[in-house]
């Protein structure tokens, strides 16, 4: 894996589908600070409405405190406040 170089001043956000706790290992392989955690939706790049397993976001934050996390996956008016 060889990361592409971003333009100076560009913000890079790596989107990562998280299947299970083992998928969190990949976070450490990306040089960017910002990571978007998305629910696993095999065969697609998002938009499936599957809720992200939020306990995995807490594990990711504990394992990689230097990273900034964004959540995606199944957010709606009923659950976004959680």
């Amino acid at each position: 894996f060889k990361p592409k170089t971003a333009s100076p001043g560009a913000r890079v956000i790596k989107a990562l589908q998280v299947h299970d706790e083992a998928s969190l290992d990949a976070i450490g392989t990306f040089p960017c600070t910002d990571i978007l955690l998305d629910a696993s939706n095999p065969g697609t790049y998002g938009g499936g409405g599957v809720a992200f397993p939020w306990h995995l976001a807490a594990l990711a934050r504990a394992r990689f405190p230097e990273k900034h996390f964004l959540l995606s996956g199944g957010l709606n008016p009923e659950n976004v406040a959680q």
Side-chain angles (χ1 to χ4, degrees), residues 16 18 24 37-40 50-57 71-74:
L16 181 67
V18 178
L24 298 176
L37 300 174
D38 197 0
S40 176
V50 176
F52 185 81
W54 297 341
H55 71 283
L56 294 178
L71 291 181
S72 183

Side-chain angles (χ1 to χ4, degrees), residues 1-4 6 10-18 23-39 45 52 60 67-72:
F1 169 73
K2 182 176 179 185
K4 293 183 179 180
R11 182 175 182 187
V12 175
I13 301 172
K14 172 61 183 164
L16 181 67
Q17 283 193 1
V18 178
S23 359
L24 298 176
D25 294 340
I27 293 168
T29 66
F30 300 106
C32 59
T33 304
D34 300 314
I35 307 289
L36 184 142
L37 300 174
D38 197 0
Y45 289 105
F52 185 81
K67 302 287 188 179
H68 300 143
F69 293 99
L70 298 97
L71 291 181
S72 183

